PDB file of all heavy atoms in Angstrom:
ATOM      1  N   GLY F  27      15.813-179.861  47.296  1.00 97.00           N
ATOM      2  CA  GLY F  27      17.092-179.975  46.601  1.00 97.00           C
ATOM      3  C   GLY F  27      18.085-180.809  47.385  1.00 97.00           C
ATOM      4  O   GLY F  27      17.852-181.157  48.551  1.00 97.00           O
ATOM      5  N   THR F  28      19.190-181.119  46.720  1.00 97.00           N
ATOM      6  CA  THR F  28      20.259-181.878  47.371  1.00 97.00           C
ATOM      7  C   THR F  28      21.209-180.928  48.104  1.00 97.00           C
ATOM      8  O   THR F  28      21.692-181.206  49.189  1.00 97.00           O
ATOM      9  CB  THR F  28      21.044-182.680  46.304  1.00 97.00           C
ATOM     10  OG1 THR F  28      20.127-183.416  45.513  1.00 97.00           O
ATOM     11  CG2 THR F  28      22.030-183.636  46.956  1.00 97.00           C
ATOM     12  N   PHE F  29      21.491-179.799  47.470  1.00 98.00           N
ATOM     13  CA  PHE F  29      22.364-178.770  48.025  1.00 98.00           C
ATOM     14  C   PHE F  29      23.717-179.326  48.452  1.00 98.00           C
ATOM     15  O   PHE F  29      24.202-179.030  49.537  1.00 98.00           O
ATOM     16  CB  PHE F  29      21.674-178.039  49.206  1.00 98.00           C
ATOM     17  CG  PHE F  29      20.336-177.432  48.837  1.00 98.00           C
ATOM     18  CD1 PHE F  29      19.143-178.044  49.214  1.00 98.00           C
ATOM     19  CD2 PHE F  29      20.266-176.277  48.082  1.00 98.00           C
ATOM     20  CE1 PHE F  29      17.910-177.505  48.861  1.00 98.00           C
ATOM     21  CE2 PHE F  29      19.036-175.730  47.726  1.00 98.00           C
ATOM     22  CZ  PHE F  29      17.861-176.337  48.117  1.00 98.00           C
ATOM     23  N   ASP F  30      24.323-180.150  47.577  1.00 97.00           N
ATOM     24  CA  ASP F  30      25.646-180.706  47.884  1.00 97.00           C
ATOM     25  C   ASP F  30      26.716-179.682  47.495  1.00 97.00           C
ATOM     26  O   ASP F  30      26.561-178.957  46.501  1.00 97.00           O
ATOM     27  CB  ASP F  30      25.840-182.017  47.090  1.00 97.00           C
ATOM     28  CG  ASP F  30      27.013-182.832  47.611  1.00 97.00           C
ATOM     29  OD1 ASP F  30      27.400-182.636  48.787  1.00 97.00           O
ATOM     30  OD2 ASP F  30      27.515-183.686  46.850  1.00 97.00           O
ATOM     31  N   PHE F  32      27.510-176.796  48.924  1.00 98.00           N
ATOM     32  CA  PHE F  32      26.687-175.583  48.909  1.00 98.00           C
ATOM     33  C   PHE F  32      27.402-174.413  48.222  1.00 98.00           C
ATOM     34  O   PHE F  32      28.539-174.095  48.526  1.00 98.00           O
ATOM     35  CB  PHE F  32      26.329-175.210  50.356  1.00 98.00           C
ATOM     36  CG  PHE F  32      25.270-174.155  50.425  1.00 98.00           C
ATOM     37  CD1 PHE F  32      23.939-174.487  50.255  1.00 98.00           C
ATOM     38  CD2 PHE F  32      25.606-172.825  50.619  1.00 98.00           C
ATOM     39  CE1 PHE F  32      22.949-173.506  50.287  1.00 98.00           C
ATOM     40  CE2 PHE F  32      24.620-171.846  50.661  1.00 98.00           C
ATOM     41  CZ  PHE F  32      23.296-172.176  50.488  1.00 98.00           C
ATOM     42  N   HIS F  36      22.785-172.096  45.008  1.00 98.00           N
ATOM     43  CA  HIS F  36      21.888-172.612  46.044  1.00 98.00           C
ATOM     44  C   HIS F  36      21.390-171.456  46.931  1.00 98.00           C
ATOM     45  O   HIS F  36      20.204-171.345  47.223  1.00 98.00           O
ATOM     46  CB  HIS F  36      22.612-173.646  46.921  1.00 98.00           C
ATOM     47  CG  HIS F  36      23.016-174.888  46.176  1.00 98.00           C
ATOM     48  ND1 HIS F  36      24.167-175.587  46.455  1.00 98.00           N
ATOM     49  CD2 HIS F  36      22.409-175.553  45.153  1.00 98.00           C
ATOM     50  CE1 HIS F  36      24.252-176.636  45.651  1.00 98.00           C
ATOM     51  NE2 HIS F  36      23.207-176.632  44.843  1.00 98.00           N
ATOM     52  N   LEU F  37      22.331-170.612  47.362  1.00 98.00           N
ATOM     53  CA  LEU F  37      21.950-169.498  48.238  1.00 98.00           C
ATOM     54  C   LEU F  37      20.943-168.597  47.529  1.00 98.00           C
ATOM     55  O   LEU F  37      19.919-168.209  48.108  1.00 98.00           O
ATOM     56  CB  LEU F  37      23.194-168.694  48.641  1.00 98.00           C
ATOM     57  CG  LEU F  37      22.908-167.505  49.567  1.00 98.00           C
ATOM     58  CD1 LEU F  37      22.274-167.940  50.873  1.00 98.00           C
ATOM     59  CD2 LEU F  37      24.175-166.706  49.849  1.00 98.00           C
ATOM     60  N   LEU F  40      17.392-169.977  47.372  1.00 98.00           N
ATOM     61  CA  LEU F  40      16.727-169.972  48.682  1.00 98.00           C
ATOM     62  C   LEU F  40      16.326-168.546  49.069  1.00 98.00           C
ATOM     63  O   LEU F  40      15.218-168.321  49.582  1.00 98.00           O
ATOM     64  CB  LEU F  40      17.632-170.601  49.741  1.00 98.00           C
ATOM     65  CG  LEU F  40      17.904-172.099  49.526  1.00 98.00           C
ATOM     66  CD1 LEU F  40      18.958-172.604  50.513  1.00 98.00           C
ATOM     67  CD2 LEU F  40      16.625-172.929  49.663  1.00 98.00           C
ATOM     68  N   LEU F  50      10.080-170.197  55.107  1.00 98.00           N
ATOM     69  CA  LEU F  50      10.646-171.075  54.068  1.00 98.00           C
ATOM     70  C   LEU F  50      11.001-172.457  54.628  1.00 98.00           C
ATOM     71  O   LEU F  50      11.774-172.585  55.577  1.00 98.00           O
ATOM     72  CB  LEU F  50      11.901-170.441  53.445  1.00 98.00           C
ATOM     73  CG  LEU F  50      12.610-171.277  52.360  1.00 98.00           C
ATOM     74  CD1 LEU F  50      11.688-171.559  51.172  1.00 98.00           C
ATOM     75  CD2 LEU F  50      13.877-170.582  51.883  1.00 98.00           C
ATOM     76  N   ILE F  51      10.421-173.478  53.990  1.00 99.00           N
ATOM     77  CA  ILE F  51      10.648-174.873  54.377  1.00 99.00           C
ATOM     78  C   ILE F  51      11.441-175.546  53.265  1.00 99.00           C
ATOM     79  O   ILE F  51      11.087-175.427  52.085  1.00 99.00           O
ATOM     80  CB  ILE F  51       9.294-175.608  54.542  1.00 99.00           C
ATOM     81  CG1 ILE F  51       8.388-174.843  55.516  1.00 99.00           C
ATOM     82  CG2 ILE F  51       9.487-177.043  54.985  1.00 99.00           C
ATOM     83  CD1 ILE F  51       6.912-175.158  55.349  1.00 99.00           C
ATOM     84  N   VAL F  52      12.514-176.251  53.631  1.00 99.00           N
ATOM     85  CA  VAL F  52      13.363-176.868  52.609  1.00 99.00           C
ATOM     86  C   VAL F  52      13.431-178.386  52.810  1.00 99.00           C
ATOM     87  O   VAL F  52      13.849-178.866  53.872  1.00 99.00           O
ATOM     88  CB  VAL F  52      14.798-176.281  52.639  1.00 99.00           C
ATOM     89  CG1 VAL F  52      15.635-176.860  51.496  1.00 99.00           C
ATOM     90  CG2 VAL F  52      14.762-174.755  52.534  1.00 99.00           C
ATOM     91  N   GLY F  53      13.022-179.131  51.780  1.00 98.00           N
ATOM     92  CA  GLY F  53      13.172-180.581  51.781  1.00 98.00           C
ATOM     93  C   GLY F  53      14.539-180.911  51.195  1.00 98.00           C
ATOM     94  O   GLY F  53      14.827-180.609  50.036  1.00 98.00           O
ATOM     95  N   VAL F  54      15.395-181.478  52.043  1.00 98.00           N
ATOM     96  CA  VAL F  54      16.755-181.811  51.591  1.00 98.00           C
ATOM     97  C   VAL F  54      16.782-183.299  51.212  1.00 98.00           C
ATOM     98  O   VAL F  54      16.448-184.169  52.041  1.00 98.00           O
ATOM     99  CB  VAL F  54      17.779-181.497  52.707  1.00 98.00           C
ATOM    100  CG1 VAL F  54      19.186-181.903  52.291  1.00 98.00           C
ATOM    101  CG2 VAL F  54      17.749-179.996  53.052  1.00 98.00           C
ATOM    102  N   GLU F  73      22.970-185.307  56.822  1.00 98.00           N
ATOM    103  CA  GLU F  73      22.901-184.562  58.087  1.00 98.00           C
ATOM    104  C   GLU F  73      23.699-183.261  57.977  1.00 98.00           C
ATOM    105  O   GLU F  73      23.250-182.213  58.434  1.00 98.00           O
ATOM    106  CB  GLU F  73      23.419-185.417  59.266  1.00 98.00           C
ATOM    107  CG  GLU F  73      22.520-186.603  59.600  1.00 98.00           C
ATOM    108  CD  GLU F  73      21.025-186.237  59.761  1.00 98.00           C
ATOM    109  OE1 GLU F  73      20.734-185.203  60.383  1.00 98.00           O
ATOM    110  OE2 GLU F  73      20.161-186.977  59.258  1.00 98.00           O
ATOM    111  N   ASP F  74      24.868-183.323  57.350  1.00 98.00           N
ATOM    112  CA  ASP F  74      25.669-182.107  57.175  1.00 98.00           C
ATOM    113  C   ASP F  74      24.979-181.142  56.209  1.00 98.00           C
ATOM    114  O   ASP F  74      24.945-179.930  56.440  1.00 98.00           O
ATOM    115  CB  ASP F  74      27.075-182.456  56.652  1.00 98.00           C
ATOM    116  CG  ASP F  74      27.918-183.149  57.710  1.00 98.00           C
ATOM    117  OD1 ASP F  74      27.462-183.217  58.877  1.00 98.00           O
ATOM    118  OD2 ASP F  74      29.028-183.628  57.390  1.00 98.00           O
ATOM    119  N   ARG F  75      24.406-181.658  55.120  1.00 98.00           N
ATOM    120  CA  ARG F  75      23.716-180.782  54.167  1.00 98.00           C
ATOM    121  C   ARG F  75      22.527-180.092  54.838  1.00 98.00           C
ATOM    122  O   ARG F  75      22.283-178.907  54.638  1.00 98.00           O
ATOM    123  CB  ARG F  75      23.289-181.586  52.926  1.00 98.00           C
ATOM    124  CG  ARG F  75      24.496-181.961  52.033  1.00 98.00           C
ATOM    125  CD  ARG F  75      24.128-182.706  50.770  1.00 98.00           C
ATOM    126  NE  ARG F  75      23.722-184.082  51.012  1.00 98.00           N
ATOM    127  CZ  ARG F  75      22.483-184.562  50.872  1.00 98.00           C
ATOM    128  NH1 ARG F  75      21.502-183.771  50.471  1.00 98.00           N
ATOM    129  NH2 ARG F  75      22.213-185.826  51.105  1.00 98.00           N
ATOM    130  N   LYS F  76      21.805-180.845  55.679  1.00 98.00           N
ATOM    131  CA  LYS F  76      20.665-180.247  56.383  1.00 98.00           C
ATOM    132  C   LYS F  76      21.116-179.166  57.377  1.00 98.00           C
ATOM    133  O   LYS F  76      20.494-178.129  57.494  1.00 98.00           O
ATOM    134  CB  LYS F  76      19.890-181.335  57.155  1.00 98.00           C
ATOM    135  CG  LYS F  76      18.760-181.927  56.350  1.00 98.00           C
ATOM    136  CD  LYS F  76      17.754-182.658  57.234  1.00 98.00           C
ATOM    137  CE  LYS F  76      18.418-183.714  58.079  1.00 98.00           C
ATOM    138  NZ  LYS F  76      17.461-184.602  58.748  1.00 98.00           N
ATOM    139  N   LYS F  77      22.243-179.441  58.070  1.00 98.00           N
ATOM    140  CA  LYS F  77      22.756-178.463  59.049  1.00 98.00           C
ATOM    141  C   LYS F  77      23.115-177.151  58.365  1.00 98.00           C
ATOM    142  O   LYS F  77      22.839-176.069  58.879  1.00 98.00           O
ATOM    143  CB  LYS F  77      24.002-179.022  59.752  1.00 98.00           C
ATOM    144  CG  LYS F  77      23.686-179.786  60.997  1.00 98.00           C
ATOM    145  CD  LYS F  77      24.944-180.116  61.762  1.00 98.00           C
ATOM    146  CE  LYS F  77      24.613-181.183  62.781  1.00 98.00           C
ATOM    147  NZ  LYS F  77      25.742-182.035  63.108  1.00 98.00           N
ATOM    148  N   ILE F  78      23.750-177.263  57.208  1.00 98.00           N
ATOM    149  CA  ILE F  78      24.157-176.056  56.464  1.00 98.00           C
ATOM    150  C   ILE F  78      22.914-175.263  56.066  1.00 98.00           C
ATOM    151  O   ILE F  78      22.827-174.054  56.276  1.00 98.00           O
ATOM    152  CB  ILE F  78      25.021-176.437  55.235  1.00 98.00           C
ATOM    153  CG1 ILE F  78      26.375-176.975  55.707  1.00 98.00           C
ATOM    154  CG2 ILE F  78      25.196-175.245  54.285  1.00 98.00           C
ATOM    155  CD1 ILE F  78      27.207-177.655  54.631  1.00 98.00           C
ATOM    156  N   ILE F  79      21.912-175.950  55.503  1.00 98.00           N
ATOM    157  CA  ILE F  79      20.689-175.264  55.051  1.00 98.00           C
ATOM    158  C   ILE F  79      19.955-174.641  56.243  1.00 98.00           C
ATOM    159  O   ILE F  79      19.505-173.501  56.180  1.00 98.00           O
ATOM    160  CB  ILE F  79      19.736-176.249  54.308  1.00 98.00           C
ATOM    161  CG1 ILE F  79      20.422-176.886  53.103  1.00 98.00           C
ATOM    162  CG2 ILE F  79      18.444-175.557  53.875  1.00 98.00           C
ATOM    163  CD1 ILE F  79      20.899-175.948  52.051  1.00 98.00           C
ATOM    164  N   HIS F  80      19.890-175.387  57.329  1.00 98.00           N
ATOM    165  CA  HIS F  80      19.163-174.904  58.512  1.00 98.00           C
ATOM    166  C   HIS F  80      19.813-173.666  59.122  1.00 98.00           C
ATOM    167  O   HIS F  80      19.143-172.834  59.745  1.00 98.00           O
ATOM    168  CB  HIS F  80      19.066-176.019  59.556  1.00 98.00           C
ATOM    169  CG  HIS F  80      17.949-175.808  60.524  1.00 98.00           C
ATOM    170  ND1 HIS F  80      17.915-176.366  61.766  1.00 98.00           N
ATOM    171  CD2 HIS F  80      16.820-175.084  60.430  1.00 98.00           C
ATOM    172  CE1 HIS F  80      16.813-175.987  62.393  1.00 98.00           C
ATOM    173  NE2 HIS F  80      16.133-175.205  61.593  1.00 98.00           N
ATOM    174  N   ALA F  81      21.122-173.540  58.953  1.00 98.00           N
ATOM    175  CA  ALA F  81      21.842-172.406  59.556  1.00 98.00           C
ATOM    176  C   ALA F  81      21.604-171.096  58.802  1.00 98.00           C
ATOM    177  O   ALA F  81      21.946-170.024  59.302  1.00 98.00           O
ATOM    178  CB  ALA F  81      23.342-172.720  59.589  1.00 98.00           C
ATOM    179  N   LEU F  82      21.010-171.171  57.629  1.00 98.00           N
ATOM    180  CA  LEU F  82      20.820-169.959  56.832  1.00 98.00           C
ATOM    181  C   LEU F  82      19.697-169.088  57.397  1.00 98.00           C
ATOM    182  O   LEU F  82      18.658-169.612  57.811  1.00 98.00           O
ATOM    183  CB  LEU F  82      20.487-170.328  55.373  1.00 98.00           C
ATOM    184  CG  LEU F  82      21.565-171.122  54.636  1.00 98.00           C
ATOM    185  CD1 LEU F  82      21.006-171.626  53.307  1.00 98.00           C
ATOM    186  CD2 LEU F  82      22.797-170.279  54.395  1.00 98.00           C
ATOM    187  N   LYS F  83      19.939-167.775  57.353  1.00 98.00           N
ATOM    188  CA  LYS F  83      18.975-166.796  57.871  1.00 98.00           C
ATOM    189  C   LYS F  83      17.615-166.889  57.170  1.00 98.00           C
ATOM    190  O   LYS F  83      16.579-166.676  57.775  1.00 98.00           O
ATOM    191  CB  LYS F  83      19.579-165.403  57.652  1.00 98.00           C
ATOM    192  CG  LYS F  83      19.120-164.330  58.558  1.00 98.00           C
ATOM    193  CD  LYS F  83      20.046-163.119  58.505  1.00 98.00           C
ATOM    194  CE  LYS F  83      20.146-162.552  57.091  1.00 98.00           C
ATOM    195  NZ  LYS F  83      21.042-161.407  56.997  1.00 98.00           N
ATOM    196  N   VAL F  84      17.633-167.219  55.881  1.00 98.00           N
ATOM    197  CA  VAL F  84      16.388-167.217  55.097  1.00 98.00           C
ATOM    198  C   VAL F  84      15.584-168.520  55.253  1.00 98.00           C
ATOM    199  O   VAL F  84      14.465-168.606  54.753  1.00 98.00           O
ATOM    200  CB  VAL F  84      16.646-166.971  53.584  1.00 98.00           C
ATOM    201  CG1 VAL F  84      17.156-165.551  53.366  1.00 98.00           C
ATOM    202  CG2 VAL F  84      17.591-168.002  52.992  1.00 98.00           C
ATOM    203  N   VAL F  85      16.159-169.511  55.922  1.00 98.00           N
ATOM    204  CA  VAL F  85      15.488-170.818  56.043  1.00 98.00           C
ATOM    205  C   VAL F  85      14.888-170.975  57.443  1.00 98.00           C
ATOM    206  O   VAL F  85      15.554-170.762  58.453  1.00 98.00           O
ATOM    207  CB  VAL F  85      16.472-171.975  55.750  1.00 98.00           C
ATOM    208  CG1 VAL F  85      15.831-173.332  56.011  1.00 98.00           C
ATOM    209  CG2 VAL F  85      16.968-171.886  54.307  1.00 98.00           C
ATOM    210  N   ASP F  86      13.607-171.375  57.494  1.00 98.00           N
ATOM    211  CA  ASP F  86      12.935-171.536  58.780  1.00 98.00           C
ATOM    212  C   ASP F  86      12.853-172.987  59.237  1.00 98.00           C
ATOM    213  O   ASP F  86      12.797-173.266  60.425  1.00 98.00           O
ATOM    214  CB  ASP F  86      11.518-170.949  58.681  1.00 98.00           C
ATOM    215  CG  ASP F  86      11.566-169.463  58.356  1.00 98.00           C
ATOM    216  OD1 ASP F  86      11.938-168.690  59.251  1.00 98.00           O
ATOM    217  OD2 ASP F  86      11.295-169.077  57.205  1.00 98.00           O
ATOM    218  N   GLU F  87      12.814-173.930  58.293  1.00 98.00           N
ATOM    219  CA  GLU F  87      12.589-175.337  58.663  1.00 98.00           C
ATOM    220  C   GLU F  87      13.189-176.245  57.591  1.00 98.00           C
ATOM    221  O   GLU F  87      13.098-175.928  56.399  1.00 98.00           O
ATOM    222  CB  GLU F  87      11.063-175.538  58.746  1.00 98.00           C
ATOM    223  CG  GLU F  87      10.617-176.789  59.415  1.00 98.00           C
ATOM    224  CD  GLU F  87       9.083-176.848  59.507  1.00 98.00           C
ATOM    225  OE1 GLU F  87       8.409-175.797  59.628  1.00 98.00           O
ATOM    226  OE2 GLU F  87       8.562-177.969  59.422  1.00 98.00           O
ATOM    227  N   VAL F  88      13.771-177.361  58.002  1.00 98.00           N
ATOM    228  CA  VAL F  88      14.270-178.342  57.031  1.00 98.00           C
ATOM    229  C   VAL F  88      13.709-179.724  57.378  1.00 98.00           C
ATOM    230  O   VAL F  88      13.392-180.010  58.533  1.00 98.00           O
ATOM    231  CB  VAL F  88      15.821-178.435  56.980  1.00 98.00           C
ATOM    232  CG1 VAL F  88      16.461-177.167  56.472  1.00 98.00           C
ATOM    233  CG2 VAL F  88      16.405-178.833  58.307  1.00 98.00           C
TER     234      VAL F  88
END
Side-chain angles (χ1 to χ4, degrees):
T28 309
F29 304 103
D30 195 22
F32 192 80
H36 295 146
L37 180 60
L40 294 172
L50 179 60
I51 306 158
V52 184
V54 177
E73 292 310 318
D74 289 352
R75 288 182 287 110
K76 268 198 305 191
K77 270 189 195 152
I78 291 168
I79 302 300
H80 202 203
L82 299 170
K83 205 164 58 181
V84 293
V85 174
D86 299 288
E87 194 177 328
V88 294

